[in-house]
Each structure stands twice: as C-alpha cells, then as structure tokens.
Amino acid sequence: MSALAAALAERIGADRVSTSDADRQAASRDESDLPPSLPEVVVRASSTEDVLSVVELCRTRRVPLVPRGAGSSLEGNPIPSRGGVVLDLSAMNRMLSLRAEDLLVTVEPGIVYQSLNDKLKPFGLFFPPSPGGSADVATIGGMVANNASGIYALKYGGTKRHVLGLVAVTGAGEIIRTGHRCPKASSGYDLTALLCGSEGTLAVVTEVTLSLTGRPAHSRKVALGFSDETACARAIAAMVGGGVDLAACEYLDARCMRALNAYKGYGLAESPALFLEAHSGTGPAVEDVIATAIEVCASEGGAPLVLPADPWEVRHWATRAIRALHPGTVTLRCDVAFPIGSLPDIVSLAHDLGAKKGLNLYAFGHAGLGIVHILIQESPEVAAFDRASEVKDQIVEAVIDRGGTCSGEH
C-alpha cells in the first residue's frame, strides 16, 4: 500500500480505501469514449466527515482529488486525468429526511434518481427532472454537479430549480451549509445556485435538500411522426412559442428510429418523431393540451404514431442503440442548447453537415427546452475522427452565434 493510501486508511478505515487494479480501472473512466486515466487510490466515503478527512489530506499533500457518483457521465467529468484520489460517493445513498407536508426531501448525493422517486411515490410526490436514458443509474449528486435536466424539465425545470440547500465540503477543508427550506428567499448570495452545475470544482456536495412536486392526477402521452426533421423542429418551436402546456417534448431523428429498430426490433416508422406528454389535475385539461399539440403538429405534416411500448421506454434506449449499430467506432458528443426559435435552423444545419461529410450523425433530446444531443459515431482512425470533429465544431459555432451554448447537459 502506498504512503497516500496508508494515510487515507488511517483516517477513514482500510476497508474503504482501495488500490486494487479492478477498483482503479473502474474509476478511471465514465460512459464516454474519452481515454481512461488511472487514479492512485479509490476512496469510498460514507459521511460528510469522511469527505472532509479526504479533502484535508489531499489539500495538505497537494494530491489531485476527483469526486465520483455513478460514473454515468457522457463527457468525461469524473475521469481522474491527473491521477490522485477518486472520491466515490455512491455509498452515501440514504434519504435522510422527508417532510411531505412541506414538499421537501433531504438526501445524500449517492442516491439514484429512480430509487428516490420510488421512495417518494407512496406519498404522491416526485422529483421531476427525469434524466432521460439514465434515470436508473444517475445519482442526485451527479445531477446537482451537472445541473441536469431531462424529459420533464420542460414543465418543471432542471435540477437547479429544485435544489433549496446543500451541505458541502470546500477545497479549503470547510463544511458549509447553503440555502434554506423556503420556496422563495431573497437574502444573501445564492451559493446553492453557484454550486449547482459547478461539476465538483468548488466543493464536494454531501447532502441535498430538494423541493418536490405532487404527482399529476392525470397524464397522457402521444407520439407523432413527420416526413422530415425540419418540419418536426418547426412544430416543436410552434408548440413552445404558442404556450402549449406540455410536460415533455422529446425529439428523435429518422436515424435514431432506425437504430432503435435494429437494437430492439420495435418496428417503428423510420422517420423523425416527437414523443409528447401532458400533465394536469383534470382529465379534460390533459386532453385539451394533447389535442392542441396534435393540431399544431398536423400543420407541419405530423401524424399520430403507434409505438410498441411506452414512449419513455423507447427513448431510454436511444444512446445504446446508436452505439450498437456502429461497433468499433467512438462517439463525438455535442449537447448544444439554444433559443427555441433557432431549433429548426440548428437541426437542419446538423443534418446537412453530417450528410455532406458522410457522417453517422444522430440528433435527439429535450428539444422542447432547446437542447439537442448530437452524436457522431465514427472510426477512431485520424481522418474520420478529424472530419467528425470539424462538423462538431461547426455546429457549436453556429449555436454560439445564435446566442446558445456548447454545453446544455452532461
């Protein structure tokens, strides 16, 4: 055992410090295709005090420290590129307190999104952002670190909107408590919002207090198919701009539908599609929203689409299906966000550039929020990779020119 590992073991116990090849390999990568980097030590924290001990030791010894949740990131966030210590928070997975009457819950960062909502369901409550295809693995700490949004963020907002308070350990070795338990507060600096989305660069979050939402009494889902991607994007912009009260509006291009068929045998029409969902306290209100959405989509050539499974089950497999269709390739991922009026232009540009360069380019995501995941699956061979990188850069430049950002998620 190295001197660093021995010192960590002395502070928090040898059973939670590992230098095994298996544990170091597991902590060296995430779900991206970025190159792995081995840490020297993996530490499994079980409390705020553990985190404080590890941070203090790494600070005094000037050892790089990387917090890690489920490792489900798609952009390399938890990869320990400078080695050092990986601080695994996945064992800190308890629901610490539930105040159902106040619509509040306090949890540790390692609790998985779906697990939390399963615990909340008997109380008629839920935490709504719903991170797409990773709800069964994404931790709340990871969602806070990345300010994750998701399927229902169109109606309910992303993670930051629901984080009321945090307990965190700063790089200076201090435990801080931010925020409050109120729906609204105006006093002091909003350190909670600052930490949410900081990706572990400012502090390691060890407790999260979230505001919750009552489960809707009525909901309805519908899928619609379109003849081309641009018409589909125009329908999304029209619905959002027209105030259609959708809870979710997810877009999948024709290539995604083809990949899903190959991966799951769904038998879907291989054309662009929208998956929509509406929530309300009454059945007639839900039906009115869906009827309006169908009418707007019909004006752009959209027609109801029959799915063999729940829309979100189908949507769940998109990234896996795309990868499976192109074995031996790597993924260049572009999670752009932009003003909703730019959606048709960005979608059209992405597909045009991909076609001109002969790339395996796919577009899908939370398009109702103005977020599109563009995946390019190409050979790691230099010429192919450079061609794909050039297209990715052109898409990002176009998004930024329209007032958007290169990093909407992940």
Side-chain angles (χ1 to χ4, degrees), residues 83-372:
V85 174
V86 166
L87 180 58
D88 184 344
L89 302 168
S90 60
M92 295 177 63
N93 58 8
R94 296 177 299 164
M95 185 170 76
L96 298 174
S97 67
L98 172 64
R99 296 176 292 281
E101 67 280 7
D102 294 327
L103 305 179
L104 297 176
V105 66
T106 298
V107 300
E108 291 181 319
I111 192 168
V112 171
Y113 175 84
Q114 190 59 57
S115 175
L116 172 60
N117 274 328
D118 288 344
K119 294 177 186 295
L120 296 173
K121 192 171 184 178
F123 300 91
L125 301 171
F126 79 125
F127 172 51
S130 188
S134 58
D136 56 341
V137 293
T139 62
I140 297 301
M143 292 180 68
V144 171
N146 292 280
N147 187 26
S149 58
I151 290 171
Y152 296 133
L154 176 60
K155 184 178 181 73
Y156 301 103
T159 297
K160 183 180 288 188
R161 176 173 166 182
H162 299 272
V163 178
L164 294 184
L166 300 169
V167 175
V169 178
T170 71
E174 298 175 321
I175 298 174
I176 61 171
R177 290 172 170 78
T178 73
H180 48 80
R181 296 180 181 178
C182 311
K184 174 68 168 65
S186 300
S187 60
Y189 298 111
D190 194 349
L191 297 180
T192 304
L194 181 64
L195 292 176
C196 188
S198 64
E199 299 185 10
T201 59
L202 299 177
V204 181
V205 171
T206 61
E207 289 185 21
V208 185
T209 296
L210 299 167
S211 66
L212 304 174
T213 299
R215 288 182 174 271
H218 297 270
S219 65
R220 186 181 162 196
K221 303 167 188 175
V222 66
L224 298 110
F226 291 78
S227 60
D228 65 84
E229 277 82 6
T230 305
C232 189
R234 285 199 303 265
I236 298 167
M239 285 188 289
V240 175
V244 180
D245 187 23
L246 293 167
C249 177
E250 295 288 305
Y251 161 71
L252 296 94
D253 70 6
R255 280 179 172 267
C256 288
M257 303 295 272
R258 192 173 307 128
L260 286 164
N261 283 340
Y263 189 63
K264 298 292 287 185
Y266 281 138
L268 301 165
E270 294 181 354
S271 59
L274 289 183
F275 295 173
L276 311 178
E277 184 170 344
H279 294 170
S280 184
T282 68
V286 164
E287 295 303 324
D288 284 347
V289 171
I290 293 296
T292 302
I294 291 173
E295 182 180 347
V296 172
C297 290
S299 70
E300 295 291 348
L305 183 66
V306 177
L307 299 181
D310 182 272
W312 308 138
E313 178 186 329
V314 175
R315 164 69 173 80
H316 175 84
W317 298 109
T319 298
R320 295 172 178 85
I322 291 166
R323 284 182 169 178
L325 198 59
H326 302 282
T329 65
V330 295
T331 305
L332 279 81
R333 190 176 184 98
C334 187
D335 293 304
V336 289
F338 38 80
I340 191 66
S342 297
L343 178 63
D345 289 345
I346 297 300
V347 168
S348 178
L349 173 69
H351 285 103
D352 287 349
L353 288 172
K356 286 176 182 176
K357 295 290 186 177
L359 300 176
N360 299 311
L361 183 146
Y362 299 79
F364 63 100
H366 319 310
L369 286 171
I371 293 176
V372 173

Side-chain angles (χ1 to χ4, degrees), residues 74-75 315 319 323 331-335 364 373-376 392 406 409-410:
L74 299 167
E75 295 284 7
R315 164 69 173 80
T319 298
R323 284 182 169 178
T331 305
L332 279 81
R333 190 176 184 98
C334 187
D335 293 304
F364 63 100
H373 309 316
I374 298 170
L375 272 61
I376 306 174
K392 177 179 176 178
C406 63
E409 285 199 308
H410 305 294

